[in-house]
Amino acid sequence: MHKGIERVLITADEIEEKVAEVGKKISEDYEGKKPIFVGVLKGCFIFMADLMRHVSIPCTMDFMSVSSYSGTSSTGAVKINKDLNQDIEGRHLILVEDILDSGVTLNYLKTYLQVRKPASISIVTLMDKPARRKAPVYADYACFDVPDAFVVGYGLDYNERYRNLPYIGILSPEVYSK
Ligand code: IMP
Ligand code: MG
């Protein structure tokens, strides 16, 4: 196990199996719809790369980058660092997130994109922390429900570290207290 990780929450094998299943399900549900997968950077990068290899229908991909202002969970303010550079009117969007926590980020993003009149917007997330939800936003596809603990790996970071771990781990409390 890597330094700073208290325990493995989801193994690489478990992730691989579940991501394949969700990719297959999305392919069935979106048959004939040519969806645009919109990855929310940076946390989505490994999940999206793996998920896309299990999507068997015609589709395209794009990315957005957003950041939360400090104290975001109370204000709900989200900054758009990189927007989509294509017209999405009448298109089916699938937002790809690493983790749905308070829901503030995705709630903002959904409202922000809705103005451009896509045919639909759905959410696929690697992890869902339902206990932490503040904004009314729900995942259409969630690979794993996780407890209220800070998790890292498989794209998720703590201060930009640990994104490279092949599994999802719970961070040791001594890491944040440093
Ligand atoms: P929300 O707006 O509170 O739903 O926050 C979503 C974002 O916060 C995610 O996309 C992650 O970047 C980050 N985040 C929330 N919980 C965790 C965690 O346990 N580990 C790492 N990042 C997290
Ligand atoms: Mg994120």
Side-chain angles (χ1 to χ4, degrees):
M1 199 154 40
H2 298 74
K3 200 166 173 286
I5 303 301
E6 191 172 75
R7 69 180 177 94
V8 175
L9 183 65
I10 311 169
T11 66
D13 285 348
E14 288 166 337
I15 298 172
E16 193 181 326
E17 191 182 333
K18 190 70 193 181
V19 170
E21 188 187 309
V22 171
K24 190 164 173 277
K25 179 79 170 67
I26 293 175
S27 307
E28 290 162 7
D29 294 352
Y30 281 82
E31 181 75 60
K33 292 186 168 170
K34 291 200 184 72
I36 309 176
F37 286 84
V38 176
V40 185
L41 293 170
K42 304 176 211 169
C44 76
F45 84 107
I46 297 181
F47 172 47
M48 186 154 163
D50 283 347
L51 179 72
M52 298 320 300
R53 281 177 272 190
H54 293 283
V55 172
S56 53
I57 53 168
C59 62
T60 58
M61 279 153 256
D62 207 339
F63 295 91
M64 289 185 77
S65 166
V66 301
S67 53
S68 314
Y69 289 106
S70 48
T72 177
S73 29
S74 50
T75 63
V78 172
K79 182 168 174 260
I80 307 287
N81 300 318
K82 186 217 171 295
D83 206 331
L84 300 176
N85 32 26
Q86 62 183 298
D87 187 11
I88 58 167
E89 188 171 341
R91 300 294 305 275
H92 294 280
L93 300 189
I94 303 175
L95 303 181
V96 184
E97 251 291 26
D98 52 357
I99 188 164
L100 191 48
D101 186 36
S102 70
V104 168
T105 311
L106 279 184
N107 191 47
Y108 179 90
L109 214 51
K110 258 188 122 168
T111 311
Y112 178 82
L113 293 170
Q114 208 81 62
V115 177
R116 304 180 194 171
K117 301 188 169 54
S120 68
I121 303 183
S122 68
I123 294 171
V124 53
T125 187
L126 175 66
M127 287 178 280
D128 192 356
K129 271 189 198 170
R132 300 252 311 163
R133 201 60 36 79
K134 288 191 181 121
V137 53
Y138 307 93
D140 299 274
Y141 306 92
C143 297
F144 302 97
D145 273 2
V146 295
D148 183 8
F150 198 84
V151 292
V152 294
Y154 197 72
L156 288 94
D157 73 308
Y158 171 68
N159 284 347
E160 295 301 326
R161 283 191 56 205
Y162 306 104
R163 293 194 196 272
N164 55 314
L165 309 193
Y167 54 83
I168 303 287
I170 296 188
L171 202 60
S172 309
E174 61 257 33
V175 176
Y176 339 27
S177 50
K178 266 182 201 145

